[in-house]
């Protein structure tokens, strides 16, 4: 396993964890007085709508990277036959 693959896997896992933490904090903000009072909320609802799908994609990518050696994104190496 190359350094690039390890770095890619590590950053994918970290990104997935940060996105899960962001979903938790957005859910907490949706219960705040400002959002319930209608002072603001459009940007939070936008994030609450789109971020779970993005996070799910990142989590699946991280799981796939754990169990598979390549995603097909590695450069093509041509060997002399």
């Amino acid at each position: 396993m190359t350094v690039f693959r390890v770095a890619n896997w590590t950053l994918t896992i970290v990104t997935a964890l940060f996105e899960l933490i962001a979903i938790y904090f957005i859910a907490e903000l949706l219960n705040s007085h400002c959002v319930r009072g209608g002072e603001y909320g459009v940007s939070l609802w936008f994030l609450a709508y789109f971020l779970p799908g993005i996070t799910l994609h990142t989590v699946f990518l991280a799981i796939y990277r754990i169990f598979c050696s390549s995603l097909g994104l590695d450069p093509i190496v041509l060997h002399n036959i």
Side-chain angles (χ1 to χ4, degrees):
M1 194 180 287
T2 64
V3 175
F4 174 75
R5 287 185 182 174
V6 172
N8 187 332
W9 178 79
T10 304
L11 291 174
T12 304
I13 295 293
V14 169
T15 302
L17 289 175
F18 281 153
E19 288 175 358
L20 290 171
I21 292 169
I23 288 174
Y24 169 76
F25 283 123
I26 288 170
E28 290 294 317
L29 281 174
L30 290 175
N31 292 324
S32 70
H33 296 291
C34 296
V35 174
R36 287 190 288 169
E39 293 177 21
Y40 73 93
V42 174
S43 59
L44 289 177
W45 286 109
F46 183 77
L47 284 173
Y49 183 75
F50 286 109
L51 190 58
I54 295 168
T55 303
L56 187 64
H57 177 266
T58 305
V59 168
F60 281 144
L61 182 64
I63 291 170
Y64 193 79
R65 279 301 272 177
I66 290 170
F67 294 112
C68 297
S69 62
S70 175
L71 294 175
L73 302 174
D74 298 332
I76 298 173
V77 179
L78 298 175
H79 297 282
N80 292 333
I81 300 177

